[in-house]
């Protein structure tokens, strides 16, 4: 894990060690979300941090979401967090839209961030593609809302996948420009916390693409709600190359599909890639794939069973999110108030 120490983060010095991270409820939960994010969220919850985890529903609607699907996906994501070990008594867990301060600070940041900075965001370019004239304005300003998510809590550490690094840099640029414009050390420069190996779980059909809930092919991903049979079938059909597994990590160079399956194995087993290859090196995929699917089923079945149980009681999920949102507002409200004051907004008593 890249340890984000406070010494390299002058503006973060003196701030509470506070983690914020978010996942979009824009589809079902995948193995990519679990290994790349939630597993680490659970670890950080047990460490010396205050932890705040969010379902970013306002981000999800930057592209079209059917309202019923959005509600279901938000609850399913909440169930996934809890089933994976996020304990609402230890972490603040809520959906973004229940805490209006995110959108409010997002507006201020729309007025801090520069068009030139936003135009460089690769995720926007990827998502907009050739369709630039016809995507929502929200998709373009997505990163300023993300900066607000983080900074409205004065969060100091943000566990994210590799693909979010640029958004984190933008968050730091926004914090620094705000502090500089108003001559005050108010927002911390939040550190990304990015772990190696399986931070980036790739598609089972194409090792150069991230495993995604929005990929049209369901065979490209393992969903946290997949049955044991589904998991086994998807791994059996996963794209590979004809060679045997190498006996050390360097041998996975230019073998993206092989690397992905080994990464997934390592992450699920809490082993390093080299440890996995020390055991499995020399084997064919016909032997390795069953090992991987047994491991995946063993690790994921308890989570999916618990998710299904939690999903039976929507009122309970909604109640948990309400309690989390209340706790989140208690932190965010005074920070937003102070921001408005710094900017020069009148605050009537
Ligand atoms: N953009 C993130 C993603 O797509 C989700 C996200 C929104 C987020 N707000 C955040 C992640 C704040 C970390 C912190 O994965």
């Amino acid at each position: 894990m890249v340890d984000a120490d406070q010494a390299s983060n002058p503006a973060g010095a003196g701030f509470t060690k506070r983690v914020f991270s978010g996942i979009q409820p824009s589809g079902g939960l995948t193995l990519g979300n679990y290994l790349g994010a939630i597993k680490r969220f659970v670890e950080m919850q047990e460490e010396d941090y205050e932890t705040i985890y969010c379902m970013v529903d306002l981000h999800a609607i930057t592209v079209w979401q059917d309202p019923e699907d959005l509600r279901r996906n938000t609850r399913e994501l909440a169930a996934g967090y809890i089933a994976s070990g996020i304990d609402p008594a230890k972490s603040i867990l809520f959906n973004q839209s229940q805490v209006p301060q995110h959108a409010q600070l997002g507006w201020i940041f729309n007025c801090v961030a520069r068009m030139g900075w936003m135009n460089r965001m690769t995720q926007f370019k990827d998502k907009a593609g050739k369709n630039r004239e016809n995507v929502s304005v929200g998709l373009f300003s997505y990163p300023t809302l993300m900066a607000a998510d983080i900074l409205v809590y004065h969060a100091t550490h943000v566990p994210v996948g590799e693909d979010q690094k640029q958004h984190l840099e933008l968050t730091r640029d926004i914090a620094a420009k705000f502090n500089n414009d108003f001559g005050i050390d108010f927002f911390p420069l939040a550190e990304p916390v990015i772990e190696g190996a399986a931070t980036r779980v790739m598609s089972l059909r194409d090792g150069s693409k991230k495993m995604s809930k929005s990929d049209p092919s369901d065979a490209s991903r393992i969903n946290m709600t997949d049955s044991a049979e589904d998991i086994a079938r998807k791994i059996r059909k996963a794209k590979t190359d004809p060679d045997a597994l190498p006996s050390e990590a360097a041998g996975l160079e230019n073998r993206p599909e092989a690397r992905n399956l080994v990464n997934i194995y390592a992450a699920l087993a809490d082993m390093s890639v080299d440890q996995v290859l020390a055991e499995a090196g020399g084997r064919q995929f016909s032997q390795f794939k069953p090992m991987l699917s047994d491991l995946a089923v063993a690790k994921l079945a308890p989570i999916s069973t618990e998710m299904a149980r939690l999903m039976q009681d929507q009122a309970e999920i909604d109640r948990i999110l309400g309690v989390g949102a209340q706790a989140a507002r208690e932190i965010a409200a005074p920070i937003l108030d102070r921001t408005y004051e710094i900017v020069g907004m009148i605050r009537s008593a």
Side-chain angles (χ1 to χ4, degrees):
M1 195 183 286
V2 179
D3 188 46
D5 68 303
Q6 299 274 313
S8 64
N9 180 17
F15 287 91
T16 312
K17 274 177 81 177
R18 187 178 281 154
V19 166
F20 180 94
S21 197
I23 299 182
Q24 293 192 56
S26 52
L29 199 57
T30 70
L31 180 67
N33 299 127
Y34 176 65
L35 292 178
I38 299 181
K39 193 161 172 274
R40 182 122 42 86
F41 296 177
V42 175
E43 288 161 13
M44 294 187 95
Q45 166 186 272
E46 305 305 332
E47 291 165 18
D48 169 31
Y49 296 101
E50 224 178 276
T51 43
I52 306 176
Y53 298 125
C54 187
M55 274 126 313
V56 289
D57 47 12
L58 297 172
H59 277 111
I61 62 164
T62 56
V63 298
W64 169 252
Q65 303 293 328
D66 174 83
E68 273 316 312
D69 289 347
L70 180 60
R71 260 187 287 274
R72 185 176 32 76
N73 288 331
T74 305
R75 292 189 179 114
E76 188 185 300
L77 182 53
Y81 272 113
I82 297 167
S84 304
I86 298 296
D87 177 352
K90 293 184 184 166
S91 293
I92 295 177
L93 182 66
F94 68 104
N95 58 310
Q96 189 184 28
S97 60
Q98 294 207 69
V99 181
Q101 288 81 8
H102 291 238
Q104 291 174 298
L105 185 61
W107 180 258
I108 302 288
F109 288 169
N110 277 339
C111 303
V112 173
R114 307 287 93 184
M115 286 297 285
W117 303 356
M118 301 294 284
N119 276 326
R120 285 196 284 276
M121 294 295 114
T122 56
Q123 181 167 301
F124 174 75
K125 290 189 229 176
D126 290 347
K127 286 198 178 176
K130 295 191 192 77
N131 199 25
R132 262 197 179 217
E133 294 295 310
N134 201 32
V135 295
S136 72
V137 176
L139 190 69
F140 184 71
S141 64
Y142 179 117
T144 55
L145 179 59
M146 178 163 162
D149 295 341
I150 296 164
L151 295 174
V152 84
Y153 301 101
H154 279 182
T156 53
H157 297 79
V158 185
V160 281
E162 189 68 36
D163 65 317
Q164 295 298 310
K165 245 173 133 167
Q166 194 186 33
H167 287 160
L168 257 293
E169 274 155 30
L170 182 88
T171 300
R172 294 163 65 92
D173 288 344
I174 289 174
K177 179 161 163 52
F178 183 99
N179 290 345
N180 187 60
D181 286 352
F182 296 100
I184 184 170
D185 225 8
F186 185 61
F187 288 114
L189 303 186
E191 295 274 350
V193 183
I194 295 167
E195 205 174 8
T199 306
R200 217 168 145 71
V201 178
M202 311 307 281
S203 158
L204 298 178
R205 310 297 310 161
D206 177 351
S208 69
K209 281 204 319 213
K210 189 174 153 178
M211 181 179 285
S212 163
K213 47 199 162 200
S214 53
D215 193 310
S217 161
D218 192 60
S220 70
R221 64 181 156 264
I222 292 174
N223 304 300
M224 295 303 283
T225 50
D226 281 347
S227 66
E229 297 74 47
D230 289 336
I231 294 174
R233 179 177 41 81
K234 288 177 182 178
I235 292 176
R236 189 157 12 90
K237 291 200 176 152
K239 188 174 168 203
T240 49
D241 55 42
D243 297 334
L245 284 173
S247 49
E248 48 187 50
L252 292 170
E253 225 31 74
N254 301 320
R255 297 179 64 186
E257 284 84 17
R259 175 203 297 274
N260 187 38
L261 295 185
V262 173
N263 276 348
I264 292 173
Y265 191 100
L268 284 170
D270 282 311
M271 289 164 76
S272 71
V273 166
D274 277 317
Q275 283 171 325
V276 175
L277 293 175
E279 272 180 32
R283 296 195 195 178
Q284 297 294 333
F285 281 102
S286 56
Q287 286 174 286
F288 182 67
K289 282 178 166 182
M291 289 168 57
L292 177 59
S293 70
D294 288 350
L295 176 66
V297 169
K299 293 283 180 177
L300 303 184
I303 299 176
S304 69
T305 307
E306 178 62 4
M307 276 175 77
R309 194 189 66 78
L310 291 164
M311 286 297 279
Q312 298 294 312
D313 192 352
Q314 286 186 4
E316 175 61 8
I317 293 179
D318 295 2
R319 189 193 65 78
I320 290 169
L321 299 184
V323 171
Q326 173 62 34
R329 286 191 298 266
E330 278 164 23
I331 301 174
I335 293 175
L336 180 76
D337 273 338
R338 182 78 187 107
T339 308
Y340 276 174
E341 226 166 64
I342 292 168
V343 172
M345 306 291 170
I346 290 179
R347 315 298 288 147
S348 299

